[in-house]
Amino acid sequence: MIIEAHDLRKTFVARRGRGKTEKVEAVRGIDLTVSEGEIFAALGPNGAGKTTTVRMLATFTAPTSGTARVAGHDVVKEAAKVREKIGYVSQAGGVDDNAPGRESLLLAARIAGLSRSQAHTRAGELLETFSLTEIADRPVKTLSGGQKRRFALAIGLVNRPPLVFLDEPTTGLDPQNRANLWDEVRALRDQGTGVLLTTHYLDEADALCDRLVIIDHGMIVAEGTPEKLKREVAGDVVTLKLDDLPSGEKLLAAQPYIKETRAEDDTLRAYLDDGEHNLPALLRALESGGLAIRSISLARATLDDVFLRHTGRSLRDAA
Amino acid sequence: MFRHTMLFLGYELGNVRRNPVWPLFGILQPVLYLLLFAPLLTTMTKGGTLADALRMFTPGAMMMIALFGSLFTGFTMINETRNGVLERLAVSQAWRPAIILGRVIKDVLVLIVQSLLVMGVAMLMGLRLGVASLLLMLLLMAATGLFATGISYGLALAVRDEGGMSQIVQFFALPLTLLAGMLLPISLGPQWMQTVARFNPLYYSVEAGRSLFAGHLSDSTIPIAFGLFAVLGVLTLTWAVRSLRSLAG
Ligand SMILES: Nc1ncnc2c1ncn2[C@@H]1O[C@H](COP(=O)(O)OP(=O)(O)OP(=O)(O)O)[C@@H](O)[C@H]1O
Ligand SMILES: [Mg+2]
């Protein structure tokens, strides 16, 4: 296991002005295990505690309680050893705006212990990988958001770490760059590098990661592979708008092929397996119950349905 | 440790090399003081010449850059507490004090070059200075700069807010300047000012500077100033390095 965390907690004491303080329980007991060469995602809404968790694992923030071992070393007692083994790309990026990206990359390489010529070779490789060679000598402040992200990533990988932390790596990227980044993350895994990334994009967690945890209010509410988590909910979901929602829910809940129903505002979601085959039966049931359907759609269950099931609200309107 | 300090220093000097104009702006103010203010002082000095006025006034004008220039250097770091640069360095293999030391040494080197330029202007205007005085003055500038940049980085990391920091710096800079006798010697003032000035560390560096420029190399003001700033420099730097930790929340 490259990451083993037990009951990690972090309580911040935030100033509220006029000398008053407030306790913020950012992380409230998180257990994690991530194995070598795995893409692991922490999915959760804003303020869920993703960044705080990553910061504790990356030795930036000391946990209030709990323990974590990263690459075999304790994150508090052996922080220096952990730092040799990780790359960390923060949510903010962390590339010096005033210098050319190449300089930041070279400095990071030298700090990681490379000689001057090794550092040049390594920087050259990374610039090539992330197609940055052309813009390596321009001050970073003149680059676009996506180009800066790629520099941040290159710097995070400079010491060939067996584990990288990517805190919301795709926020602010256009679809093209997002897809490129996904490819780069997959390439890392193929070389045996473990990746722990955070995201609040459902499709990203679904498409990219081998396993994930869903974090809400500082706690893990679900854990597993995307497939397993979705299967626990059901294969498919029928979303309905009805005039009489309560009786519709009662009627559908009584059907044998319906696993679960959930009413939210004016929509009713019914979870079922093998939706294509069961949809006709569902329609017949509603018709014989005399319920008028205003709209209906059938879709595969997503991680949002998983989130909804575990937290009672949709990730789209969480936060 | 030493290696990391040198790496950060090299990086910072690279930035200075790419933008060498900013430090030149820094010496504009003391040079203007030398050109437009020092001549007003000629009648106040014993000899009554411009060279005498410069001998009395230049050390104070130089300490202005050591104080003002250095107190503002920390501003660059406030942004880095937010844009993730310091966060990244904090979890890198870098020896943490090197992050501060590299910058401080860069600032001190820039200050030494600025000092040389200001002294050069004063000499062109007629000031005469011995080699020992000149070298010791550079050292004194470095010691004062070390203290002031230490405060500046410490403040930047502790306050982490441009508005707050500029208020604090403004608030302290003017009384510190006046009560150090940077413009005119404190000995011209009333007794209470002379008493208050003794609690201002910069008073000692200005006095020591004047002794150096007057060629009184055995004056007690000189070892007092060096001793004081050696201690204060270590204290403020330690504070700045420790403030790095508070980033993590
Ligand atoms: N340094 C700090 N001081 C006080 N409170 C903090 C601090 N850092 C984070 N918090 C609080 O802890 C909680 C979790 O924050 P965190 O940054 O870990 O969330 P997140 O999941 O990364 O959110 P986002 O998706 O917005 O990045 C929030 O309520 C936040 O306000
Ligand atoms: Mg975050």
Side-chain angles (χ1 to χ4, degrees), chain A residues 4-80:
Chain A
E4 282 174 278
H6 297 293
D7 199 28
L8 276 186
R9 290 168 191 272
K10 180 71 194 181
T11 305
F12 290 106
V13 180
R15 266 177 281 177
R16 282 189 71 174
R18 300 216 191 124
K20 281 192 203 138
T21 57
E22 175 186 21
K23 282 198 168 158
V24 184
E25 287 185 78
V27 173
R28 304 187 294 161
I30 278 189
D31 292 274
L32 273 185
T33 49
V34 177
S35 38
E36 283 83 359
E38 181 175 39
I39 303 181
F40 189 89
L43 173 71
N46 288 144
K50 304 181 295 292
T51 297
T52 309
T53 304
V54 169
R55 281 179 167 175
M56 288 192 282
L57 295 173
T59 75
F60 183 68
T61 304
T64 309
S65 70
T67 55
R69 294 180 80 76
V70 170
H73 302 288
D74 186 278
V75 292
V76 178
K77 296 190 201 91
E78 303 166 294

Side-chain angles (χ1 to χ4, degrees), chain A residues 88-225:
Chain A
Y88 172 59
V89 183
S90 69
Q91 193 165 355
V95 190
D96 182 0
D97 262 334
N98 294 310
R102 186 194 300 275
E103 297 296 321
S104 290
L105 195 52
L106 285 173
L107 177 66
R110 300 292 314 269
I111 289 172
L114 302 190
S115 72
R116 190 188 293 266
S117 65
Q118 286 170 328
H120 275 99
T121 316
R122 181 71 183 138
E125 281 169 22
L126 285 164
L127 291 173
E128 207 53 49
T129 311
F130 291 99
S131 336
L132 292 166
T133 314
E134 243 93 278
I135 50 175
D137 297 304
R138 266 165 54 186
V140 169
K141 62 183 158 207
T142 65
L143 303 181
S144 78
Q147 294 169 327
K148 279 188 204 174
R149 277 255 148 229
R150 270 146 54 207
F151 263 114
L153 223 58
I155 292 171
L157 295 173
V158 78
N159 57 339
R160 298 180 203 277
L163 173 68
V164 281
F165 295 100
L166 307 177
D167 196 358
E168 302 204 6
T170 59
T171 303
L173 295 192
D174 63 25
Q176 168 86 49
N177 272 308
R178 219 164 142 227
N180 287 346
L181 196 131
W182 288 7
D183 286 342
E184 275 142 18
V185 170
R186 291 191 185 106
L188 284 175
R189 172 188 48 197
D190 297 343
Q191 296 158 22
T193 306
V195 180
L196 172 67
L197 62 90
T198 75
T199 182
H200 52 244
Y201 296 121
L202 298 154
D203 57 334
E204 180 158 293
D206 203 344
L208 191 55
C209 69
D210 302 317
R211 279 193 315 129
L212 77 152
V213 287
I214 296 180
I215 300 183
D216 191 34
H217 296 310
M219 291 194 283
I220 291 177
V221 295
E223 173 171 11
T225 63

